[in-house]
Every structure is written in C-alpha cells, then in structure tokens.
Amino acid sequence: MNETLQLFNLCGKRALITGSGRGIGLALARGLAGAGAAVVINDRNEQKASAVAARLRDEGFSADIAVFDVTNPAQVTDAVDAYEERAGAIDILVNNAGIQRRAALENFTATDWNDLLRVNLDGAFHVSQAVARHMLARGRGKIINICSVQGELARPGIAPYAATKGAIRMLTKGMCAEWAGRGIQANALAPGYFATDLNRALVDDPAFSDWLCKRTPAGRWGRVEELCGAAVFLASPASDFVNGQTLFVDGGLTSVV
C-alpha cells in the first residue's frame, strides 16, 4: 500500500458506532470495517446487536458489541469502562444514535421535545464524555458526531430536530476547543437526505421526493454507503489536522439556493 493510501488505513483501530443496528449507523460500521477497523455495534437490545455483529463477521469483518442506552449516563460510563478493560482501546467513536419527531412547532409536545434532546444531544454528550476520558489518557482519538443538513437549514415540522443537530455542530466545536491540544480530533459528518427508516415517510411521499430531487444539485436521494468515504477520512490519520469541522455529504444541497 502506498504512503497516501496508508493514511486511510484503519487496521489495528477499534470503532464504536452508537445506534448501529440499522440504517446509517450500520452502513458506517460496515464502511469502517471495510477500511480495516474492528467495529463495535451498539444498541439497547443485546439480541439485536449480537445479530448485526454476527452478520458482519459472516461478511469477513471483525465485529463486537457494546450494549447500553445512550440516554443513561451511568449505564454508558459503566459499559464503556467495562469494554475498554475487557477488549481494549476504543480509538474511534461515531455518535450516530438519533431519533426524529415531526409536528408543527406550536403543537410539538414537551415529551417529544425532551425525547429528541435526550437521544440526539444528551446521548452524544454522555458517550463522548465516557469514551474521551480514555482517549485523553492515551493522548489520541477520533470522534465523529453525526449531524444533518438540518443543523444548517430548517424546514417546517422538524424545528426541534434541527435544534438538536445545530447543537451537535456546536458541541463538536466545543470538543475541538477542549480536546484538540490533547490528541483528539472531533468532527461532525452531516448527511443530506438519505433513504433510511428514519425518514421513510418522506421517501414514500412522491411530492416530497420530487421537490427534493429538484432542490438537490445531484438530483436524487443519497445512498447510505455514500457516507462511508467521509467517515473513513474523519476516522483515519488523513484527518489528523482536521478538527471541529462539519463535513456535509448532501449532493450539494447546502451549497445552492
């Protein structure tokens, strides 16, 4: 392997991807594994996580599991500490766990608002804090926070979701401010519109899909595997001087009016 390609090699690294039982999280796990990383599948459900990890191992990848709920800080800390003691260093963290709620802002319930904050924002904070303590002790680590074009652009019906993703962008900058000088690179990966279970209602809406394809310069929905190259870059030595940034993978959506 030549010197340039070696910069993207993740062999010998271990990556924990939260909420990786399906969708974007699973695609990112598969992409990082394809670049050589040993991946750690996270879900609240042990049976589900185990099934996903077994599937990845059948595909020839190295895969393990870490079972915890990102919204439970004590559970997160205990699980991360136990995993590091049992299996070794978590070199790469991908904060992917997230949920969506849709409603007009004036009708948005306090329960849905709090659920979004707990999973999308609090979860990233809790897991980053638990993993970063170990990274800081080693003087190295990569954190990738999954953001969204909604961290930059708003649309009706999802204002609270957009607020959580805007907060993730600023949390990423804060991680850079706190930890860059201590060996951690923290960046955000912001997908555009990708066909996943999370936005199935939009995928199945012909009017919305027509609007999106006209609005996006690439003229189509994204495919989840198209996020993997950006994730490998942010997880690899190729990004060692990249910190606090948000990388949009959106078919050009945020670049045009």
Side-chain angles (χ1 to χ4, degrees):
M1 184 179 292
N2 69 38
E3 186 175 348
T4 300
L5 291 179
Q6 186 63 32
L7 288 173
F8 298 89
N9 183 8
L10 299 181
C11 289
K13 302 296 184 181
R14 182 179 289 105
L16 168 64
I17 305 96
T18 66
S20 45
R22 63 178 182 174
I24 287 175
L26 177 55
L28 294 177
R30 185 174 278 114
L32 295 176
V39 297
V40 184
I41 300 300
N42 161 254
D43 196 89
R44 293 177 300 177
N45 184 298
E46 183 173 359
Q47 185 176 5
K48 181 178 178 181
S50 296
V52 171
R55 192 191 326 161
L56 291 175
R57 289 193 293 269
D58 287 344
E59 295 173 16
F61 301 128
S62 175
D64 199 353
I65 66 169
V67 179
F68 57 81
D69 181 343
V70 299
T71 69
N72 185 324
Q75 189 181 114
V76 168
T77 299
D78 288 348
V80 168
D81 290 351
Y83 190 90
E84 288 249 348
E85 184 175 356
R86 172 177 70 82
I90 297 169
D91 305 289
I92 301 156
L93 168 63
V94 181
N95 282 308
N96 167 77
I99 61 172
Q100 174 64 290
R101 298 284 188 270
R102 293 182 174 89
L105 187 55
E106 66 273 19
N107 298 324
F108 215 89
T109 68
T111 296
D112 283 344
W113 168 265
N114 289 325
D115 285 347
L116 283 168
L117 288 175
R118 289 175 62 247
V119 178
N120 296 0
L121 183 56
D122 295 357
F125 168 75
H126 297 320
V127 183
S128 294
Q129 190 177 62
V131 173
R133 289 182 180 125
H134 295 276
M135 291 179 170
L136 290 167
R138 291 186 288 267
R140 67 182 186 278
K142 300 277 187 175
I143 297 176
I144 304 171
N145 296 319
I146 301 305
C147 195
S148 169
V149 292
Q150 262 71 58
E152 177 73 10
L153 304 172
R155 53 179 300 270
I158 57 168
Y161 175 84
T164 67
K165 293 303 181 179
I168 286 291
R169 289 188 69 184
M170 286 308 303
L171 180 61
T172 302
K173 291 177 183 289
M175 291 177 181
C176 171
E178 296 265 354
W179 297 335
R182 300 164 70 186
I184 293 177
Q185 291 85 53
N187 293 285
L189 175 57
Y193 282 89
F194 285 75
T196 67
D197 290 341
L198 196 64
N199 55 23
R200 175 55 54 190
L202 300 180
V203 175
D204 293 340
D205 183 343
F208 184 88
S209 285
D210 181 65
W211 170 84
L212 176 67
C213 292
K214 290 176 180 176
R215 174 68 177 80
T216 303
R220 61 176 175 83
W221 287 85
R223 297 184 291 270
V224 290
E225 60 270 18
E226 292 177 305
L227 293 165
C228 294
V232 169
F233 166 64
L234 293 176
S236 73
S239 63
D240 278 354
F241 203 56
V242 179
N243 220 325
Q245 303 303 306
T246 298
L247 175 55
F248 288 89
V249 182
D250 63 359
L253 181 65
T254 54
S255 296
V256 301
V257 296

